[in-house]
Amino acid sequence: MNTQFKKGALELCVLSQLVWGDKYGYELTEKISGEMSIASGTLYPILRKLKADDYVTTYLVESESGPARKYYKLTEKGKQYQTSVKQEWETFINAVNQLLLG
Amino acid sequence: MNKQEYMKKLQERLESFGKELQEEIMEDYRQHFAEGENEGKSEEEIIEELGNIEEMIRELSEDELPEGFAQRALEPAAVEGQEVTGTQEDTEKFEETEMKRAFSYSGYYKAVVLEGKVADVYVTESENDQIHVDYEAKGVNSQQNYEYYQYEEDGTFYAGVKRKKSIREEGDSDEKMVKVTLFGRTIISYGTIGNVWNSGQSITLTVRIPKGMPKLTAKVGSGNVSVSGVELEALEATSGSGNVGLNDIVADRLKAHTGSGNIAAAHTEFISGALEAGSGNVKAEGVKGRELRCGTGSGNIKGEASVGEYHLASGSGNIKMKAGGNAERINMSTGSGSIKLELEGIQGMDTTVRTGSGGVRIAWNEEEGQKVKNGNYTYGNGACKIKANTGSGSVKIFGRE
């Protein structure tokens, strides 16, 4: 798959997960790798990038299971971005579906 | 591979990205291991889940390049966004045609800003104190969809190519048109849109600027930029997907960027020069100055220069540099490519080399064939500080006083 395409899709998946509430890294990677076959490790650079672009912020929460968990939270900018990319995505899927029909 | 080995490899591969980033990603992985173990997964299972480190590094390399490469690489070629084109009649009328216009402007300007979009932009020195612009459009699309513009504001001269407002935007609703963009790219376009920008179409903007112009900015989307024979205080040349060529230039500050094209600079002098490509190659030949920065995501860096400081970084390409007399500091890093450095006329070097799996060879004053390991080596008076870092390629350094 085209990497830029894949990356864009993964970004959208991550952001959309966060629309439903803050999540920590492992939780996100589990959720996404549960649906598609990807190397979970590749999500960490994507999360980092989303943070650098101010689409998410992070905060730490102590955990009894080990090191503190880094939670990701969607920013206002991130919400807007997610909405617009999601729209693009839906238009795209609709167009592909139309074309599949001939 | 067990957890310890995996983490060690991760640490090594992250080395070239800087301490802060290295620690951040390592911490993410440590957390991932802790969570997984807590769920009763074995080390092997977690390693498999995290996946190939190289894949993650590739992902990281795309973002961790200077100043938003990924965006530039993503910037759609301007031709992709074409909306409406002419009827068959128009097409015939414009076929094989060529439009040429020439403009001259007098006045004192502190800067020239050129925006070429799909056009190729050439800049050279003017034979008088006027700015001369030659605008040339070949083929139907280029003439129907783009036009030349010029204006000035605040003592700055602006010129370029812009899309014409479509004449047929209304009344076309019965025509079937689909244009879909995703993640900033046009993915699908069919119907009457997206008329082919075929080989017969081209726009060229040739600009001659007066001697002593302080500042020049030239920016294009899918076109190429070429600047030659000028002296400036600041020069910035950017292309989204085309090439950037610089020849015979003197500039205090020089910057060249391209998303997916190549950059070549020749016979150029500057105080600080930055040549940055998203995925293409970077070449610097006969370059002189105080500080040279070359970066590319996946291309190679090649050059022959005489500057004080070298900062050369490639995501996965090779680095080959011939460094002249006054070098003081040379930093070279690549994710997986090999590094070759030749030093001329330097009093000595203080070298730190590191490679994940490639060989290292350092030769000083014809003392050939020293095979060394990762570590620090000093020759002569150690005047030039060198750092060479590669994930898996080999490192070769040759020096002569």
Side-chain angles (χ1 to χ4, degrees):
Chain A
M1 207 188 325
N2 175 308
T3 50
Q4 215 47 261
F5 181 84
K6 187 172 163 188
K7 191 188 173 96
L10 281 174
E11 266 185 27
L12 176 60
C13 292
V14 169
L15 291 171
S16 302
Q17 283 303 309
L18 295 176
V19 168
W20 304 101
D22 304 353
K23 288 193 170 56
Y24 56 94
Y26 183 77
E27 204 179 358
L28 274 170
T29 62
E30 283 296 284
K31 181 89 187 180
I32 288 169
S33 61
E35 299 294 337
M36 55 172 102
S37 139
I38 56 153
S40 296
T42 58
L43 283 168
Y44 291 110
I46 289 175
L47 284 165
R48 200 189 129 81
K49 168 91 186 330
L50 291 172
K51 189 181 171 189
D53 290 344
D54 294 327
Y55 294 138
V56 301
T57 54
T58 59
Y59 58 91
L60 292 174
V61 174
E62 292 304 322
S63 134
E64 57 273 33
S65 68
R69 282 171 173 164
K70 184 155 72 181
Y71 274 83
Y72 295 86
K73 181 184 176 62
L74 208 56
T75 63
E76 199 44 50
K77 187 181 167 194
K79 270 178 211 159
Q80 283 171 13
Y81 181 67
Q82 190 268 347
T83 311
S84 76
V85 180
K86 190 173 159 222
Q87 247 163 29
E88 283 184 3
W89 175 258
E90 279 159 2
T91 316
F92 173 69
I93 291 300
N94 285 336
V96 171
N97 284 337
Q98 285 302 314
L99 292 168
L100 290 180
L101 293 172
Chain B
M1 198 176 348
N2 63 26
K3 176 178 162 185
Q4 209 188 340
E5 288 161 348
Y6 187 81
M7 289 303 283
K8 187 163 176 280
K9 191 179 163 211
L10 180 70
Q11 184 177 15
E12 282 173 7
R13 291 296 282 113
L14 288 168
E15 202 78 57
S16 58
F17 292 92
K19 265 268 169 293
E20 192 188 331
L21 195 149
Q22 182 186 36
E23 189 41 44
E24 193 180 329
I25 300 282
M26 297 273 297
E27 187 53 39
D28 287 334
Y29 274 64
R30 276 195 285 270
Q31 176 73 39
H32 197 106
F33 269 106
E35 298 284 353
E37 281 160 13
N38 212 36
E39 283 188 0
K41 289 181 189 162
S42 69
E43 282 184 8
E44 288 72 34
E45 279 175 288
I46 301 171
I47 288 170
E48 200 188 315
E49 184 178 285
L50 281 165
N52 190 340
I53 290 175
E54 296 310 318
E55 223 175 295
M56 190 277 295
I57 292 288
R58 258 201 302 280
E59 188 71 52
L60 199 61
S61 310
E62 280 176 35
D63 302 325
E64 287 308 319
L65 295 165
E67 291 174 45
F69 272 148
Q71 275 74 24
R72 252 188 295 278
L74 251 180
E75 203 169 272
V79 301
E80 282 180 320
Q82 288 188 66
E83 284 144 41
V84 183
T85 56
T87 60
Q88 192 56 38
E89 227 176 76
D90 290 335
T91 309
E92 277 163 12
K93 199 168 71 195
F94 281 98
E95 201 86 68
E96 305 285 324
T97 62
E98 194 177 306
M99 186 184 67
K100 280 189 190 179
R101 294 224 174 113
F103 308 88
S104 296
Y105 306 92
S106 314
Y108 174 76
Y109 299 102
K110 61 183 181 194
V112 170
V113 177
L114 307 169
E115 273 211 61
K117 297 209 185 294
V118 296
D120 289 331
V121 174
Y122 297 89
V123 185
T124 55
E125 195 175 271
S126 170
E127 62 282 5
N128 51 32
D129 55 6
Q130 290 182 322
I131 297 176
H132 301 277
V133 181
D134 292 308
Y135 176 78
E136 194 177 327
K138 278 185 191 162
V140 47
N141 272 339
S142 63
Q143 290 170 46
Q144 281 184 322
N145 296 323
Y146 293 92
E147 62 190 350
Y148 170 73
Y149 72 86
Q150 187 277 329
Y151 65 95
E152 50 189 274
E153 201 177 277
D154 248 353
T156 299
F157 177 94
Y158 294 87
V161 174
K162 65 175 182 187
R163 280 192 60 86
K164 279 185 189 174
K165 283 239 164 53
S166 172
I167 343 150
R168 298 175 68 238
E169 245 153 18
E170 287 165 326
D172 273 348
S173 51
D174 54 332
E175 288 191 59
K176 194 168 183 188
M177 279 195 269
V178 176
K179 180 177 171 239
V180 182
T181 57
L182 187 65
F183 314 135
R185 281 199 162 175
T186 304
I187 303 272
I188 298 174
S189 63
Y190 72 87
T192 56
I193 52 164
N195 204 337
V196 198
W197 183 264
N198 58 39
S199 55
Q201 314 288 329
S202 73
I203 303 181
T204 322
L205 207 58
T206 308
V207 183
R208 284 169 288 153
I209 58 170
K211 209 178 163 90
M213 175 63 63
K215 208 175 159 194
L216 169 69
T217 304
K219 195 179 160 191
V220 297
S222 57
N224 303 310
V225 181
S226 163
V227 183
S228 63
V230 292
E231 263 188 66
L232 305 142
E233 283 166 27
L235 166 64
E236 199 170 335
T238 305
S239 175
S241 56
N243 300 322
V244 178
L246 308 172
N247 191 13
D248 195 14
I249 288 168
V250 180
D252 292 350
R253 296 179 305 281
L254 181 147
K255 274 188 191 172
H257 288 284
T258 169
S260 52
N262 302 316
I263 298 179
H267 309 294
T268 289
E269 284 183 43
F270 48 74
I271 295 173
S272 71
L275 312 173
E276 290 163 355
S279 57
N281 300 320
V282 177
K283 196 164 128 186
E285 269 180 352
V287 166
K288 283 183 191 164
R290 177 67 222 131
E291 189 184 319
L292 172 66
R293 284 178 190 273
C294 297
T296 166
S298 51
N300 300 319
I301 298 173
K302 193 177 163 185
E304 186 218 314
S306 183
V307 302
E309 286 194 22
Y310 297 75
H311 298 272
L312 314 172
S314 171
S316 57
N318 301 320
I319 299 177
K320 197 173 167 185
M321 182 59 67
K322 214 170 171 176
N326 54 353
E328 291 159 21
R329 186 175 298 276
I330 303 178
N331 290 330
M332 299 173 291
S333 77
T334 164
S336 54
S338 65
I339 295 176
K340 193 175 173 190
L341 174 67
E342 277 183 55
L343 293 153
E344 290 272 356
I346 286 168
Q347 296 297 307
M349 61 182 175
D350 185 7
T351 320
T352 308
V353 281
R354 171 178 278 278
T355 167
S357 56
V360 180
R361 204 167 140 205
I362 301 180
W364 186 250
N365 278 339
E366 317 294 332
E367 283 173 48
E368 287 285 342
Q370 294 194 47
K371 281 201 173 161
V372 294
K373 291 179 179 162
N374 287 347
N376 193 59
Y377 301 90
T378 305
Y379 291 94
N381 66 2
C384 180
K385 307 266 179 272
I386 300 170
K387 269 192 185 164
N389 203 325
T390 165
S392 56
S394 65
V395 180
K396 287 182 187 164
I397 300 177
F398 301 95
R400 255 187 307 277
E401 267 178 49

